[in-house]
Amino acid sequence: MAHVAEWKKEEVKELKGMIDSHEVVGIVNLLNIPAKQLQKMRQSLKDKATIRMSKKNLINLAFENCKDNKENISDLSNHMDGQPAIVFTDMNPFKLFKILESSKTSAPAKPGNIAPEDIIVPAGDTGFEPGPLLGELQQVGIPAKIDKGKIVVSKEHVLVKAGEEVSKNAASMLTRLDIHPMEVGIDLTAVYEDKAVFTSDLLIIDEEKTLLDLQSAYTQAFNLSVNASIPTKGTIVAIIQNAKSKSFNLAMNASILNSETAEPLISQANAKMLALASVIQDVEGALDDELIEKLSNAPVTTETVVIEENEDKEEDENEESEEKDEEASEEEAAAGLGALFG
């Protein structure tokens, strides 16, 4: 039986203790991160999360030893890419992912790096005076020329396409042009919480869209609750107000007297009375003195105008009907004379 070094046993024991004592455990990739930048990132995570580097096989053993207390924790072993390390925290996985992503910084491209997206050299003044740089730019395919005593890139140029390897000459030229196309930071490849493992693609959230979706969902749920008369803490006031409004309108349309409708119904009846009085006020003896006085002091109401408009409309219709009858009578008379003398 092979002898296992004591330090390895101790390492696995410490990893297991840290895994058991934290709600959230993640796997991060520290490949190609300079030591100085890694140190800064660790400082930014102070009191929020702890990063522990170890050998892959020891991390796997620690996960196996913890699977009784944390179901499915060993699934994290499938996401150890590059130079893996474990991150321990009690914060929400999505918040952890956001913090790690926001801590990433731009860095110069190195020979052998794979371009994450098209690396573009923009058009414009390079700031360099005429010299060997002009030929070097042209050598790597960048369209350059001398203009007003400066070396300028005549048009935008894609130096390295997404997914392609950065060559030594391209990396050197990008550095001289102060273009830092690479992003350096801690990549969270997977994270464990409450028996579930979330991969990085599931942790990316469009916050603005998510907020709009939540607001839309709330509005739709609120409207459904009110329209279906489903009382909740958030909709009970609106439902009661809606019911009160409908009951008031029903009572008004049906002329049902109660403490709420008595005054507006009386006002409505009074307005109709005055409107009718205004129509018949020219008829001798139709109105008594009291009503005549009220009519003289009353403002012109919409209902009065409507009655007058309707009255004028009826008179116009009657006049049109009489004109049509007269025309028909004349046509009948002419037809009769034609038949008599035809």
Side-chain angles (χ1 to χ4, degrees):
M1 183 175 180
H3 174 71
V4 178
E6 193 63 31
W7 71 267
K8 291 184 179 180
K9 295 180 181 179
E10 191 63 29
E11 176 70 7
V12 173
K13 182 180 178 181
E14 288 185 14
L15 291 176
K16 181 181 183 304
M18 296 182 73
I19 293 171
D20 287 336
S21 61
H22 290 83
E23 294 295 326
V24 176
V25 179
I27 292 293
V28 295
N29 183 5
L30 304 181
L31 185 65
N32 295 326
I33 301 179
K36 186 177 180 180
Q37 287 180 302
L38 178 58
Q39 187 63 28
K40 288 183 178 180
M41 292 174 188
R42 278 181 161 171
Q43 289 176 354
S44 67
L45 291 172
K46 188 178 180 181
D47 300 327
K48 297 177 182 177
T50 302
I51 297 176
R52 177 71 175 263
M53 298 178 65
S54 189
K55 292 183 175 292
K56 287 184 179 181
N57 62 326
L58 300 182
I59 295 175
N60 287 331
L61 285 173
F63 287 153
E64 286 295 322
N65 292 342
C66 293
K67 64 182 181 182
D68 291 336
N69 296 331
K70 293 186 180 294
E71 188 177 339
N72 299 324
I73 187 71
S74 57
D75 289 351
L76 286 176
S77 297
N78 300 323
H79 303 283
M80 291 196 292
D81 301 324
Q83 186 177 341
I86 310 180
V87 57
F88 306 95
T89 184
D90 291 322
M91 74 173 65
N92 180 281
F94 295 92
K95 186 176 181 179
L96 174 64
F97 180 82
K98 182 181 178 181
I99 290 175
L100 293 178
E101 287 296 305
S102 63
S103 68
K104 291 183 176 181
T105 58
S106 59
K110 295 181 179 180
N113 285 159
I114 303 300
E117 54 189 21
D118 288 349
I119 299 177
I120 298 173
V121 177
D125 187 358
T126 64
F128 291 94
E129 296 181 355
L133 180 64
L134 177 63
E136 295 174 10
L137 286 168
Q138 295 172 344
Q139 186 178 356
V140 295
I142 299 174
K145 63 180 181 179
I146 297 174
D147 184 26
K148 298 179 180 179
K150 296 288 184 180
I151 298 176
V152 299
V153 177
S154 56
K155 63 178 181 179
E156 186 178 278
H157 177 71
V158 178
L159 184 59
V160 184
K161 293 183 178 180
E164 292 184 352
E165 185 177 305
V166 179
S167 66
K168 182 178 179 180
N169 290 339
S172 175
M173 187 55 61
L174 289 169
T175 300
R176 294 186 69 180
L177 294 175
D178 199 28
I179 297 175
H180 298 166
M182 308 306 293
E183 191 176 53
V184 174
I186 300 173
D187 291 322
L188 183 64
T189 58
V191 63
Y192 171 91
E193 182 188 38
D194 192 23
K195 302 179 183 180
V197 173
F198 302 93
T199 52
S200 58
D201 58 316
L202 299 176
L203 299 173
I204 301 173
I205 294 179
D206 186 335
E207 294 185 9
E208 184 176 347
K209 181 179 182 302
T210 301
L211 181 59
L212 291 175
D213 289 343
L214 286 174
Q215 291 173 339
S216 176
Y218 175 84
T219 301
Q220 292 175 4
F222 182 88
N223 291 338
L224 174 62
S225 177
V226 172
N227 293 327
S229 299
I230 302 173
T232 66
K233 183 178 179 180
T235 60
I236 186 62
V237 174
I239 290 174
I240 292 174
Q241 290 175 339
N242 191 34
K244 180 182 178 182
S245 177
K246 288 181 178 179
S247 63
F248 178 81
N249 291 336
L250 174 62
M252 287 293 295
N253 293 329
S255 298
I256 299 173
L257 282 171
N258 57 44
S259 60
E260 296 288 332
T261 61
E263 185 175 342
L265 281 173
I266 292 172
S267 298
Q268 189 181 73
N270 185 66
K272 289 181 178 180
M273 176 193 69
L274 293 175
L276 178 59
S278 69
V279 174
I280 64 175
Q281 62 181 334
D282 294 333
V283 178
E284 186 176 353
L287 306 178
D288 58 19
D289 294 340
E290 184 181 358
L291 192 54
I292 291 173
E293 183 179 357
K294 286 185 177 181
L295 188 61
S296 63
N297 296 328
V300 178
T301 63
T302 304
E303 291 180 335
T304 302
V305 175
V306 171
I307 291 174
E308 292 175 352
E309 288 178 350
N310 289 339
E311 187 178 47
D312 293 339
K313 185 177 180 180
E314 290 176 357
E315 289 178 0
D316 292 339
E317 290 176 351
N318 290 335
E319 289 177 1
E320 290 177 2
S321 178
E322 290 175 0
E323 290 176 358
K324 288 181 180 179
D325 291 340
E326 289 176 0
E327 290 176 359
S329 298
E330 290 175 357
E331 289 175 357
E332 290 175 358
L337 289 173
L340 180 63
F341 297 103

